[in-house]
Amino acid sequence: MSGILIYTKEDARRNRFAVQKFIEYLGVELKDEQYRGNADFVINRTNHYEIAEFYENKGIRVFNPASLSRLANNKQLCYEFMRKNGVPIMEINYKNVPAVKKPVDGRGGRDVVMITQKEEFEEGYVYQKPCSDLGKDLRVWAVGGKITASILRVSKSDFRSNFCLGGEAVPYIMNERETRLAEYVLSLVKSDYIGVDFLFNNGEMVFNEIEDTVGARMVYAKTRMDILKLYCDYINKQSQKGLSVSFLSPPDCHDM
């Protein structure tokens, strides 16, 4: 089996550790986002669903699939999908202030701002009601749709808790209700390796976003888990198979 690993040039430089892990564990060949050659399987780490779509149309197995990449990298689409399926989210298209303004295709907390004065909705952004517990969120990692790790991120200086922006991180054990919600979200999408982020509103978890090309820095910094080895083992087993997804009943929750 021959595989290719696709990164943008910038992301490949910034994620050298992960690139080396993929090459070491799978023997894949690193390519940039312009590459359109053949392979037995493709690991798409670009956030561009069109790349996954191109290879899927050729009958090539892609990790993550195009359907997941398309959903995860459009916040408006993702929020509407989760709300339709009974997953609690903070109100979107929020017309009051304060409000959280997010780029539809943003990631890593970049360009997310808290606005305190009303403004006309700007195209390409999602306006969302702030949660009550600012500066705190939970990232859940999943391989093959199964929870593998969960880490709480907390910032004392910013309403964004991202680890790359200086937030503190500690391993977190979810309670039964939180686990059910995370498992239900995972059951709704076909995924191979993702992160799912949750906010806390009045002490309850609410969905925030899916990270399609989720990083692993926190897992390696805060646990002994070699999560990329787990992912690569999964790819070895799944590269010639389809991915089946079971659907769970929605948890007892409602939109916030």
Side-chain angles (χ1 to χ4, degrees):
M1 297 292 291
S2 63
I4 56 174
L5 171 67
I6 304 181
Y7 270 92
T8 65
K9 291 179 180 178
E10 178 184 352
D11 284 346
R13 286 192 295 269
R14 193 171 67 245
N15 293 280
R16 289 189 296 271
F17 174 82
V19 169
Q20 289 305 313
K21 286 280 189 179
F22 283 119
I23 293 173
E24 175 187 351
Y25 292 144
L26 292 172
V28 291
E29 190 174 353
L30 178 64
K31 300 291 184 180
D32 68 27
E33 70 271 30
Q34 303 303 319
Y35 182 75
R36 291 295 186 273
N38 288 313
D40 292 310
F41 66 90
V42 174
I43 305 169
N44 179 26
R45 299 286 292 173
T46 69
N47 292 302
H48 301 313
Y49 75 88
E50 300 92 343
I51 292 175
E53 214 168 51
F54 170 83
Y55 286 104
E56 287 175 353
N57 287 337
K58 296 176 70 173
I60 296 172
R61 179 72 156 88
V62 183
F63 303 84
N64 287 307
S67 58
L68 184 282
S69 295
R70 182 173 181 269
L71 182 70
N73 293 294
N74 185 318
K75 286 184 172 59
Q76 183 77 30
L77 186 67
C78 193
Y79 286 139
E80 290 171 355
F81 173 82
M82 292 298 170
R83 182 171 59 185
K84 178 182 177 181
N85 284 281
V87 176
I89 64 171
M90 299 308 299
E91 183 181 340
I92 56 174
N93 303 324
Y94 188 64
K95 297 180 180 179
N96 299 319
V97 291
V100 180
K101 180 180 178 182
K102 304 177 179 180
V104 167
D105 60 352
R107 57 180 176 141
R110 291 190 292 272
D111 300 318
V112 176
V113 297
M114 183 79 72
I115 61 172
T116 56
Q117 295 183 336
K118 287 187 178 182
E119 60 179 57
E120 292 294 325
F121 280 11
E122 187 176 348
E123 188 175 348
Y125 288 86
V126 173
Y127 292 78
Q128 192 169 32
K129 181 179 180 179
C131 62
S132 63
D133 304 4
L134 294 175
K136 173 184 176 182
D137 80 345
L138 179 71
R139 170 159 294 175
V140 176
W141 283 261
V143 175
K146 305 296 183 182
I147 296 170
T148 56
S150 54
I151 293 181
L152 186 71
R153 304 181 293 188
V154 179
S155 174
K156 298 178 181 178
S157 60
D158 198 320
F159 75 95
R160 301 168 299 174
S161 56
N162 304 71
F163 191 55
C164 63
L165 298 177
E168 298 177 2
V170 292
Y172 182 85
I173 299 176
M174 291 182 286
N175 62 33
E176 182 179 354
R177 179 180 173 84
E178 292 167 344
T179 300
R180 285 182 60 225
L181 175 58
E183 289 177 340
Y184 177 57
V185 170
L186 291 168
S187 79
L188 294 172
V189 297
K190 290 183 177 182
S191 68
D192 297 306
Y193 173 53
I194 60 172
V196 184
D197 292 349
F198 295 91
L199 303 173
F200 290 86
N201 191 54
N202 297 318
E204 295 289 327
M205 265 181 23
V206 295
F207 174 82
N208 187 36
E209 62 185 351
I210 296 174
E211 289 287 351
D212 172 22
T213 57
V214 64
R217 292 180 182 88
M218 279 190 294
V219 177
Y220 285 100
K222 301 298 178 179
T223 78
R224 295 183 179 181
M225 180 185 298
D226 189 349
I227 194 167
L228 291 176
K229 178 66 163 58
L230 294 178
Y231 182 33
C232 290
D233 288 346
Y234 166 85
I235 290 173
N236 274 325
K237 293 177 182 178
Q238 296 292 320
S239 57
Q240 292 183 314
K241 301 177 182 178
L243 180 65
S244 61
V245 178
S246 59
F247 288 81
L248 307 179
S249 299
D252 182 20
C253 57
H254 56 82
D255 289 359
M256 298 294 179

